[in-house]
Amino acid sequence: MNDLTSRVRTLVYESIDEINPGLDPDNRLTRQDAERLFGPGSRLGSLGLVNLLLAVEDRVESGFGLSIQLTDSPALFSSDGPLRSLGAFIDCVADMVHKAER
Amino acid sequence: MALRLRLVADFTVDTLAVMLRNDPALPALQVTTAPYGRVVPELMALAAGEGTDASLPEAVLVWTRPEGTIASYRLAQDGQPLDMPTLLEEVEQFAHQLKAVAVRGCILLVAAWTRPAHQRGLGVLDWAPGVGLRHALTAMNLHLAQCLAGQPGCYLLDTERWLNQAGPRALNIKRWYLGKVWYGGEVFQIASSDIKAALSTLRGGGRKLLILDLDNTLWGGVVGDDGLEGLVLGGHDPQGEAFVDFQRTIKALSRRGILLALVSRNEEAVALHAVDHHPEMLLRRQDFAAWRINWHDKAANIQSLVVELNLGLQSCVFLDDSPFERARVRETLPEVLVPELPESPLLRVPMLEALTCFDPRSLTQEDRQRLKMVQAERQRRVALDASGDLPTWLQGLGLTVTAMTLNTVDLARAAQLLNKTNQMNLSTRRMDEAELGAWCREGQRQFWTFRVGDRFGDAGLTALASVDISPGTPEVAQLVDFVVSCRVFERGVEESLLACVVAWIRNLHPGVARLEARFLPTAKNRPCLRFFRERSGFQEQGPVAADGADALFVLSLDQPYAVPVHVTLRDS
């Protein structure tokens, strides 16, 4: 699982690098685990969040050969859901990949 | 001063707006986006010029989906029979709306219609005329291009290339349902780069001179060591073929008006012998406007070349296989563009073809003949050296200056000259074709183009002048533009322009008593000030502006203005 989380972390960071050029400099995401992705305190607008989730979906598909549906997961968007921080999001994606692999 | 660009699209383009805004490449942009999906109302508002001068955009990008713009295409997508006449009529209506915006004088960039890879249309029948959607889409784009072709300032962009370059991730339909975004970030990134390049080109930012190394750049090997016979060039050899193709690509640039020059560390005689005599060379000595083949520092050689060719360093691109030479030129001459040359010669043609800096804003006869003009200039210098003094040389030059009222054929070249000329330029107005055309149509104005030729060749359209007679002051004509290319100035061309202007005013507007020329200083137009002070015959009346930076020159029109004796002035 640790190796998987590490791979997912790399892939999420790559997705951040991909979407950042489309964000104003003040709104660009950092790689800090505490970075909020959704809700109050997040620098991402709805469009930025959609772009991030789609970028991660794409990279999971090309990196693991697996299809995960982040944008279709309402649980993701609850106030205490995994989008509350980048670290929680990485764990959530790793968990989804782990389940999809089984 | 940032260029005001308005994005008009039938999908969300906020990401593109951010990318355009944050791209450090020139020109700097102030980007605004129209509300998504309001293409037609936005075009109508832009055509009506709603807003203040300061808020009206100087450039507009219109990017639509074919099904969002052309109802007949949408119906065909839905399985209805394709009605080509109606479909093309709708394209014409759309083109009419676009032209109504462009005619206001802004640059209008229109993204050609495309469709995502997953839309297979009618499969094997998709290219069938009158049936297939691929055929219909191609016909729509061609018709749109035709409709916009005569409108200055209108340019169609190659959207298909953006999608191809972005690959399978160009479009994710989820993005459409979740955010009304049709394309992915990769497409917007490529589009942003192309739009920036287009605006830079249209604002006169293109490069004019390609400076090339020889050894391991134009051919494989070192001619001084390997000899002409040992060079890798052509033949049945992958690298040899790649070097020939590289030269072919460079020659194509030259035919478009890009000047070529050589800067090489070699013995000049040895290197030029190879250029002249290697059987596989596509580029010969006559293809180069100038060269510096010696053992001096390449940066110093480049500086000396641009002086000889009367160009600025910002016009230059330098290609050299040596990372050391590239780094040296980059560091010493930061205005020169020094692209990375791939180490493998097999990869160099795509690199050269992908450069945006040579994009032409127009392809005029003058552009295509630029090399001939430079060569003629070299002959003139030889003749000047031989004649010993300037008046003798001018007498033998056989100079003709032909004046014409600006017409649509010359509009592109006139706008190009207006935007590129710095030294002999009275007001340094910068206007694109549409703005220039619109300016000429208003009020009591006259705009001339001048072609200059001599016994060495035709320098082409190389000078401009315009006057404006305001109804409020009918006794005064303002000389608004006075532009002479550095290729022909200080040969009597300036006086010939004034003679033409004065004759026109005296013949057609006898009530005008004086001609005023307001000199607006820039960092580069002192030669123009010197001409008006020392040789024009105008009287200097001092500054008009509060800061005293400008200067007003006045000429009484009670006498004709003499054409220099060595010039034949023709008015066609």
Side-chain angles (χ1 to χ4, degrees):
Chain A
M1 187 68 178
N2 282 342
D3 179 48
L4 175 65
T5 306
S6 167
R7 284 177 67 193
V8 167
R9 179 176 290 277
T10 303
L11 176 156
V12 170
Y13 286 169
E14 287 170 358
S15 302
I16 288 173
D17 292 344
E18 180 187 321
I19 70 154
N20 266 346
L23 300 170
D24 277 318
D26 290 348
N27 294 334
R28 288 184 183 160
L29 291 179
T30 67
R31 292 182 171 191
Q32 292 173 358
D33 274 0
E35 179 81 51
R36 283 194 73 89
L37 303 178
F38 180 64
S42 165
R43 355 165 168 237
L44 271 185
S46 57
L47 190 58
L49 181 58
V50 166
N51 283 333
L52 176 67
L53 298 181
L54 291 177
V56 173
E57 284 183 5
D58 277 349
R59 283 176 192 279
V60 166
E61 186 155 1
S62 55
F64 292 94
L66 297 170
S67 174
I68 60 167
Q69 305 302 321
L70 295 169
T71 46
D72 299 357
S73 306
L76 215 64
F77 299 93
S78 62
S79 56
D80 57 347
L83 295 176
R84 68 184 183 277
S85 74
L86 181 62
F89 177 61
I90 289 168
D91 289 340
C92 167
V93 174
D95 187 48
M96 289 172 88
V97 170
H98 181 63
K99 284 175 180 158
E101 275 181 328
R102 282 189 301 184
Chain B
M1 191 71 175
L3 180 82
R4 296 188 300 276
L5 170 68
R6 181 84 165 156
L7 306 185
V8 181
D10 63 352
F11 51 92
T12 305
V13 285
D14 295 21
T15 305
L16 175 64
V18 172
M19 287 174 175
L20 284 164
R21 212 177 286 135
N22 293 327
D23 185 339
L26 292 173
L29 297 176
Q30 183 189 324
V31 187
T32 57
T33 52
Y36 130 80
R38 286 179 47 82
V39 174
V40 173
E42 180 70 15
L43 291 179
M44 290 169 74
L46 289 167
E50 289 173 12
T52 62
D53 279 353
S55 66
L56 284 170
E58 294 154 283
V60 176
L61 171 80
V62 180
W63 193 352
T64 60
R65 296 164 305 128
E67 63 269 37
T69 314
I70 305 298
S72 297
Y73 183 85
R74 174 88 221 190
L75 291 173
Q77 255 192 343
D78 290 346
Q80 307 264 19
L82 194 53
D83 179 354
M84 282 303 283
T86 307
L87 179 135
L88 294 179
E89 200 179 304
E90 288 171 33
V91 171
E92 275 170 41
Q93 287 167 5
F94 183 59
H96 183 73
Q97 290 168 333
L98 295 171
K99 285 158 82 172
V101 176
V103 85
R104 295 201 63 83
C106 68
I107 296 168
L108 185 69
L109 302 177
V110 183
W113 287 306
T114 187
R115 65 176 187 181
H118 66 257
Q119 290 184 2
R120 296 190 64 257
L122 297 180
V124 74
L125 285 182
D126 215 36
W127 267 106
V131 177
L133 285 170
R134 169 51 71 187
H135 181 270
L137 191 62
T138 306
M140 285 163 59
N141 277 322
L142 287 174
H143 198 55
L144 183 63
Q146 287 291 343
C147 291
L148 298 179
Q151 177 60 54
C154 261
Y155 302 90
L156 212 54
L157 301 179
D158 187 4
T159 322
E160 196 78 38
R161 197 176 61 76
W162 302 344
L163 269 61
N164 288 339
Q165 205 174 328
R169 297 173 66 196
L171 183 144
N172 183 333
I173 200 70
K174 278 186 170 182
R175 201 175 267 114
W176 173 255
Y177 290 117
L178 293 166
K180 291 294 170 277
V181 184
W182 196 230
Y183 298 111
E186 292 93 335
V187 174
F188 287 134
Q189 193 72 67
I190 299 159
S192 168
S193 166
D194 256 18
I195 292 162
K196 274 269 179 166
L199 292 172
S200 169
T201 300
L202 294 170
R203 303 296 281 189
R207 307 251 168 182
K208 289 194 265 192
L209 177 65
L210 176 56
I211 302 169
L212 298 149
D213 170 44
L214 283 171
D215 291 334
N216 290 314
T217 300
L218 285 189
W219 56 54
V222 177
V223 68
D225 295 339
D226 304 325
L228 181 148
E229 299 78 10
L231 296 178
V232 179
L233 184 63
H236 298 289
D237 175 86
Q239 292 212 352
E241 283 181 34
F243 278 114
V244 169
D245 283 345
F246 189 57
Q247 290 197 19
R248 182 175 291 117
T249 311
I250 291 167
K251 185 131 185 166
L253 287 173
S254 164
R255 291 190 180 111
R256 277 172 21 191
I258 303 301
L259 292 176
L260 308 181
L262 292 171
V263 168
S264 167
R265 286 182 190 276
N266 260 309
E267 289 300 325
E268 182 175 306
V270 172
L272 288 179
H273 178 74
V275 171
D276 290 338
H277 297 290
H278 193 290
E280 301 275 3
M281 278 294 287
L282 291 183
L283 296 169
R284 297 292 191 190
R285 188 192 298 227
Q286 61 270 22
D287 291 309
F288 297 98
W291 52 83
R292 294 289 183 276
I293 302 173
N294 53 40
W295 300 99
H296 300 156
D297 173 45
K298 287 198 176 184
N301 274 331
I302 290 172
Q303 283 179 303
S304 149
L305 264 182
V306 297
V307 170
E308 177 184 333
L309 296 173
N310 220 338
L311 293 169
L313 287 167
Q314 75 283 355
S315 297
C316 302
V317 177
F318 175 60
L319 292 184
D320 196 307
D321 69 298
S322 158
F324 167 81
E325 298 291 2
R326 293 199 298 267
R328 163 83 183 139
V329 172
R330 256 187 221 124
E331 192 180 311
T332 317
L333 308 172
E335 292 154 293
V336 175
L337 178 68
V338 186
E340 280 301 292
L341 197 66
E343 197 177 331
S344 167
L346 279 61
L347 299 175
R348 291 180 185 170
V349 168
M351 166 267 156
L352 189 56
E353 289 178 332
L355 289 179
T356 57
C357 58
F358 295 125
D359 288 357
R361 59 179 291 166
S362 58
L363 269 180
T364 63
Q365 192 67 5
E366 279 75 11
D367 293 322
R368 291 192 184 278
Q369 294 192 340
R370 189 170 290 147
L371 177 61
K372 272 188 188 168
M373 294 171 184
V374 170
Q375 286 163 340
E377 183 58 28
R378 191 183 296 148
Q379 288 178 305
R380 278 183 204 105
R381 278 199 304 272
V382 171
L384 175 58
D385 291 344
S387 70
D389 68 280
L390 189 64
T392 311
W393 177 69
L394 287 173
Q395 287 297 340
L397 206 52
L399 198 73
T400 60
V401 176
T402 307
M404 287 183 79
T405 296
L406 179 64
N407 57 45
T408 50
V409 177
D410 287 334
L411 186 59
R413 171 61 187 154
Q416 191 184 49
L417 191 62
L418 194 67
N419 290 308
K420 289 264 183 180
T421 308
N422 293 312
Q423 298 179 76
M424 189 59 71
N425 197 331
L426 181 71
S427 54
T428 318
R429 292 202 301 167
R430 303 303 195 201
M431 288 192 291
D432 61 31
E433 291 170 45
E435 289 165 335
L436 178 57
W439 185 85
C440 292
R441 281 191 293 275
E442 286 177 20
Q444 212 163 26
R445 290 168 178 169
Q446 169 69 10
F447 197 106
W448 291 270
T449 59
F450 297 87
R451 288 174 192 280
V452 178
D454 59 31
R455 68 185 172 92
F456 294 105
D458 181 9
L461 199 168
T462 37
L464 308 168
S466 71
V467 290
D468 185 9
I469 303 170
S470 165
T473 51
E475 73 286 1
V476 179
Q478 296 290 339
L479 184 66
V480 181
D481 297 295
F482 183 81
V483 176
V484 181
S485 163
C486 56
R487 295 215 306 269
V488 296
F489 73 53
E490 293 184 340
R491 294 176 195 170
V493 175
E494 298 89 318
E495 291 85 347
S496 305
L497 261 61
L498 292 176
C500 172
V501 169
V502 170
W504 180 83
I505 298 170
R506 283 170 54 86
N507 287 336
L508 298 180
H509 299 277
V512 176
R514 63 183 192 275
L515 178 61
E516 290 186 356
R518 187 173 171 214
F519 171 82
L520 297 174
T522 67
K524 294 181 177 172
N525 69 347
R526 280 198 71 80
C528 189
L529 180 64
R530 210 161 42 237
F531 167 73
F532 273 91
R533 279 188 174 153
E534 296 170 10
R535 292 170 22 228
S536 70
F538 280 60
Q539 296 298 312
E540 188 168 356
Q541 305 275 301
V544 177
D547 62 3
D550 61 348
L552 182 69
F553 293 90
V554 178
L555 181 74
S556 166
L557 296 177
D558 53 2
Q559 295 290 324
Y561 194 96
V563 181
V565 288
H566 65 277
V567 177
T568 305
L569 176 62
R570 297 186 182 127
D571 192 346
S572 57

PDB file of all heavy atoms in Angstrom, chain B residues 33-53:
ATOM      1  N   THR B  33     -13.006  37.749 -21.218  1.00  0.00           N
ATOM      2  CA  THR B  33     -13.798  36.707 -21.878  1.00  0.00           C
ATOM      3  C   THR B  33     -15.257  37.133 -21.915  1.00  0.00           C
ATOM      4  O   THR B  33     -15.801  37.645 -20.936  1.00  0.00           O
ATOM      5  CB  THR B  33     -13.694  35.358 -21.135  1.00  0.00           C
ATOM      6  OG1 THR B  33     -14.004  35.585 -19.764  1.00  0.00           O
ATOM      7  CG2 THR B  33     -12.315  34.770 -21.230  1.00  0.00           C
ATOM      8  N   ALA B  34     -15.888  36.896 -23.070  1.00  0.00           N
ATOM      9  CA  ALA B  34     -17.325  37.134 -23.176  1.00  0.00           C
ATOM     10  C   ALA B  34     -18.044  36.011 -22.436  1.00  0.00           C
ATOM     11  O   ALA B  34     -17.505  34.910 -22.329  1.00  0.00           O
ATOM     12  CB  ALA B  34     -17.722  37.135 -24.645  1.00  0.00           C
ATOM     13  N   PRO B  35     -19.240  36.279 -21.917  1.00  0.00           N
ATOM     14  CA  PRO B  35     -19.962  35.191 -21.249  1.00  0.00           C
ATOM     15  C   PRO B  35     -20.103  34.000 -22.195  1.00  0.00           C
ATOM     16  O   PRO B  35     -20.371  34.181 -23.379  1.00  0.00           O
ATOM     17  CB  PRO B  35     -21.327  35.818 -20.942  1.00  0.00           C
ATOM     18  CG  PRO B  35     -21.104  37.286 -20.981  1.00  0.00           C
ATOM     19  CD  PRO B  35     -20.003  37.526 -21.951  1.00  0.00           C
ATOM     20  N   TYR B  36     -19.913  32.803 -21.654  1.00  0.00           N
ATOM     21  CA  TYR B  36     -19.906  31.594 -22.495  1.00  0.00           C
ATOM     22  C   TYR B  36     -21.218  31.456 -23.279  1.00  0.00           C
ATOM     23  O   TYR B  36     -22.310  31.712 -22.755  1.00  0.00           O
ATOM     24  CB  TYR B  36     -19.638  30.384 -21.590  1.00  0.00           C
ATOM     25  CG  TYR B  36     -20.591  29.236 -21.731  1.00  0.00           C
ATOM     26  CD1 TYR B  36     -20.441  28.333 -22.772  1.00  0.00           C
ATOM     27  CD2 TYR B  36     -21.630  29.058 -20.830  1.00  0.00           C
ATOM     28  CE1 TYR B  36     -21.320  27.277 -22.920  1.00  0.00           C
ATOM     29  CE2 TYR B  36     -22.505  28.012 -20.963  1.00  0.00           C
ATOM     30  CZ  TYR B  36     -22.358  27.125 -22.016  1.00  0.00           C
ATOM     31  OH  TYR B  36     -23.231  26.093 -22.162  1.00  0.00           O
ATOM     32  N   GLY B  37     -21.108  31.108 -24.532  1.00  0.00           N
ATOM     33  CA  GLY B  37     -22.286  30.804 -25.345  1.00  0.00           C
ATOM     34  C   GLY B  37     -22.973  32.013 -25.961  1.00  0.00           C
ATOM     35  O   GLY B  37     -23.940  31.861 -26.697  1.00  0.00           O
ATOM     36  N   ARG B  38     -22.494  33.234 -25.692  1.00  0.00           N
ATOM     37  CA  ARG B  38     -23.173  34.427 -26.238  1.00  0.00           C
ATOM     38  C   ARG B  38     -22.362  34.971 -27.425  1.00  0.00           C
ATOM     39  O   ARG B  38     -21.981  36.137 -27.466  1.00  0.00           O
ATOM     40  CB  ARG B  38     -23.315  35.487 -25.144  1.00  0.00           C
ATOM     41  CG  ARG B  38     -24.392  35.140 -24.111  1.00  0.00           C
ATOM     42  CD  ARG B  38     -24.504  36.198 -23.031  1.00  0.00           C
ATOM     43  NE  ARG B  38     -24.547  37.553 -23.555  1.00  0.00           N
ATOM     44  CZ  ARG B  38     -25.624  38.160 -24.024  1.00  0.00           C
ATOM     45  NH1 ARG B  38     -26.771  37.504 -24.061  1.00  0.00           N
ATOM     46  NH2 ARG B  38     -25.569  39.400 -24.464  1.00  0.00           N
ATOM     47  N   VAL B  39     -22.154  34.113 -28.400  1.00  0.00           N
ATOM     48  CA  VAL B  39     -21.274  34.491 -29.505  1.00  0.00           C
ATOM     49  C   VAL B  39     -21.908  35.579 -30.365  1.00  0.00           C
ATOM     50  O   VAL B  39     -21.301  36.636 -30.600  1.00  0.00           O
ATOM     51  CB  VAL B  39     -20.908  33.249 -30.363  1.00  0.00           C
ATOM     52  CG1 VAL B  39     -20.107  33.658 -31.592  1.00  0.00           C
ATOM     53  CG2 VAL B  39     -20.120  32.259 -29.528  1.00  0.00           C
ATOM     54  N   VAL B  40     -23.131  35.328 -30.842  1.00  0.00           N
ATOM     55  CA  VAL B  40     -23.742  36.282 -31.776  1.00  0.00           C
ATOM     56  C   VAL B  40     -24.006  37.644 -31.114  1.00  0.00           C
ATOM     57  O   VAL B  40     -23.607  38.682 -31.666  1.00  0.00           O
ATOM     58  CB  VAL B  40     -25.017  35.687 -32.410  1.00  0.00           C
ATOM     59  CG1 VAL B  40     -25.759  36.737 -33.241  1.00  0.00           C
ATOM     60  CG2 VAL B  40     -24.639  34.503 -33.294  1.00  0.00           C
ATOM     61  N   PRO B  41     -24.634  37.690 -29.925  1.00  0.00           N
ATOM     62  CA  PRO B  41     -24.818  39.015 -29.295  1.00  0.00           C
ATOM     63  C   PRO B  41     -23.492  39.737 -29.055  1.00  0.00           C
ATOM     64  O   PRO B  41     -23.399  40.948 -29.217  1.00  0.00           O
ATOM     65  CB  PRO B  41     -25.502  38.691 -27.958  1.00  0.00           C
ATOM     66  CG  PRO B  41     -26.091  37.349 -28.133  1.00  0.00           C
ATOM     67  CD  PRO B  41     -25.260  36.618 -29.133  1.00  0.00           C
ATOM     68  N   GLU B  42     -22.467  38.980 -28.704  1.00  0.00           N
ATOM     69  CA  GLU B  42     -21.161  39.599 -28.450  1.00  0.00           C
ATOM     70  C   GLU B  42     -20.580  40.169 -29.743  1.00  0.00           C
ATOM     71  O   GLU B  42     -20.044  41.287 -29.755  1.00  0.00           O
ATOM     72  CB  GLU B  42     -20.208  38.548 -27.850  1.00  0.00           C
ATOM     73  CG  GLU B  42     -18.820  39.052 -27.543  1.00  0.00           C
ATOM     74  CD  GLU B  42     -18.749  40.023 -26.362  1.00  0.00           C
ATOM     75  OE1 GLU B  42     -19.719  40.101 -25.587  1.00  0.00           O
ATOM     76  OE2 GLU B  42     -17.720  40.713 -26.246  1.00  0.00           O
ATOM     77  N   LEU B  43     -20.701  39.408 -30.838  1.00  0.00           N
ATOM     78  CA  LEU B  43     -20.186  39.909 -32.117  1.00  0.00           C
ATOM     79  C   LEU B  43     -20.938  41.168 -32.534  1.00  0.00           C
ATOM     80  O   LEU B  43     -20.343  42.126 -33.049  1.00  0.00           O
ATOM     81  CB  LEU B  43     -20.300  38.838 -33.214  1.00  0.00           C
ATOM     82  CG  LEU B  43     -19.379  37.624 -33.080  1.00  0.00           C
ATOM     83  CD1 LEU B  43     -19.608  36.634 -34.224  1.00  0.00           C
ATOM     84  CD2 LEU B  43     -17.915  38.038 -33.045  1.00  0.00           C
ATOM     85  N   MET B  44     -22.245  41.171 -32.287  1.00  0.00           N
ATOM     86  CA  MET B  44     -23.041  42.351 -32.658  1.00  0.00           C
ATOM     87  C   MET B  44     -22.628  43.568 -31.824  1.00  0.00           C
ATOM     88  O   MET B  44     -22.509  44.688 -32.338  1.00  0.00           O
ATOM     89  CB  MET B  44     -24.532  42.058 -32.498  1.00  0.00           C
ATOM     90  CG  MET B  44     -25.042  41.075 -33.554  1.00  0.00           C
ATOM     91  SD  MET B  44     -26.686  40.455 -33.237  1.00  0.00           S
ATOM     92  CE  MET B  44     -27.661  41.866 -33.641  1.00  0.00           C
ATOM     93  N   ALA B  45     -22.384  43.324 -30.537  1.00  0.00           N
ATOM     94  CA  ALA B  45     -21.963  44.432 -29.665  1.00  0.00           C
ATOM     95  C   ALA B  45     -20.594  44.963 -30.099  1.00  0.00           C
ATOM     96  O   ALA B  45     -20.362  46.177 -30.138  1.00  0.00           O
ATOM     97  CB  ALA B  45     -21.908  43.955 -28.214  1.00  0.00           C
ATOM     98  N   LEU B  46     -19.685  44.049 -30.457  1.00  0.00           N
ATOM     99  CA  LEU B  46     -18.356  44.482 -30.905  1.00  0.00           C
ATOM    100  C   LEU B  46     -18.455  45.244 -32.226  1.00  0.00           C
ATOM    101  O   LEU B  46     -17.770  46.246 -32.431  1.00  0.00           O
ATOM    102  CB  LEU B  46     -17.438  43.268 -31.078  1.00  0.00           C
ATOM    103  CG  LEU B  46     -16.978  42.578 -29.786  1.00  0.00           C
ATOM    104  CD1 LEU B  46     -16.342  41.227 -30.091  1.00  0.00           C
ATOM    105  CD2 LEU B  46     -15.979  43.459 -29.039  1.00  0.00           C
ATOM    106  N   ALA B  47     -19.325  44.772 -33.122  1.00  0.00           N
ATOM    107  CA  ALA B  47     -19.490  45.450 -34.417  1.00  0.00           C
ATOM    108  C   ALA B  47     -20.076  46.843 -34.226  1.00  0.00           C
ATOM    109  O   ALA B  47     -19.747  47.776 -34.966  1.00  0.00           O
ATOM    110  CB  ALA B  47     -20.380  44.629 -35.328  1.00  0.00           C
ATOM    111  N   ALA B  48     -20.918  46.976 -33.192  1.00  0.00           N
ATOM    112  CA  ALA B  48     -21.535  48.283 -32.926  1.00  0.00           C
ATOM    113  C   ALA B  48     -20.586  49.201 -32.171  1.00  0.00           C
ATOM    114  O   ALA B  48     -20.882  50.385 -31.965  1.00  0.00           O
ATOM    115  CB  ALA B  48     -22.824  48.084 -32.135  1.00  0.00           C
ATOM    116  N   GLY B  49     -19.468  48.639 -31.719  1.00  0.00           N
ATOM    117  CA  GLY B  49     -18.483  49.453 -31.003  1.00  0.00           C
ATOM    118  C   GLY B  49     -18.967  49.882 -29.637  1.00  0.00           C
ATOM    119  O   GLY B  49     -18.646  50.984 -29.184  1.00  0.00           O
ATOM    120  N   GLU B  50     -19.736  49.017 -28.979  1.00  0.00           N
ATOM    121  CA  GLU B  50     -20.252  49.378 -27.656  1.00  0.00           C
ATOM    122  C   GLU B  50     -19.112  49.398 -26.644  1.00  0.00           C
ATOM    123  O   GLU B  50     -18.301  48.488 -26.589  1.00  0.00           O
ATOM    124  CB  GLU B  50     -21.333  48.382 -27.226  1.00  0.00           C
ATOM    125  CG  GLU B  50     -22.608  48.557 -28.026  1.00  0.00           C
ATOM    126  CD  GLU B  50     -23.643  47.468 -27.734  1.00  0.00           C
ATOM    127  OE1 GLU B  50     -23.474  46.712 -26.775  1.00  0.00           O
ATOM    128  OE2 GLU B  50     -24.620  47.408 -28.502  1.00  0.00           O
ATOM    129  N   GLY B  51     -19.065  50.426 -25.861  1.00  0.00           N
ATOM    130  CA  GLY B  51     -17.997  50.592 -24.871  1.00  0.00           C
ATOM    131  C   GLY B  51     -17.175  51.820 -25.202  1.00  0.00           C
ATOM    132  O   GLY B  51     -17.400  52.486 -26.203  1.00  0.00           O
ATOM    133  N   THR B  52     -16.209  52.104 -24.352  1.00  0.00           N
ATOM    134  CA  THR B  52     -15.352  53.263 -24.592  1.00  0.00           C
ATOM    135  C   THR B  52     -14.165  52.823 -25.434  1.00  0.00           C
ATOM    136  O   THR B  52     -13.891  51.634 -25.552  1.00  0.00           O
ATOM    137  CB  THR B  52     -14.827  53.821 -23.256  1.00  0.00           C
ATOM    138  OG1 THR B  52     -14.047  52.783 -22.647  1.00  0.00           O
ATOM    139  CG2 THR B  52     -15.957  54.213 -22.332  1.00  0.00           C
ATOM    140  N   ASP B  53     -13.465  53.798 -26.017  1.00  0.00           N
ATOM    141  CA  ASP B  53     -12.288  53.471 -26.814  1.00  0.00           C
ATOM    142  C   ASP B  53     -11.288  52.650 -26.001  1.00  0.00           C
ATOM    143  O   ASP B  53     -10.625  51.761 -26.504  1.00  0.00           O
ATOM    144  CB  ASP B  53     -11.600  54.750 -27.308  1.00  0.00           C
ATOM    145  CG  ASP B  53     -12.314  55.289 -28.535  1.00  0.00           C
ATOM    146  OD1 ASP B  53     -13.227  54.596 -29.040  1.00  0.00           O
ATOM    147  OD2 ASP B  53     -11.973  56.401 -28.963  1.00  0.00           O
TER     148      ASP B  53
END
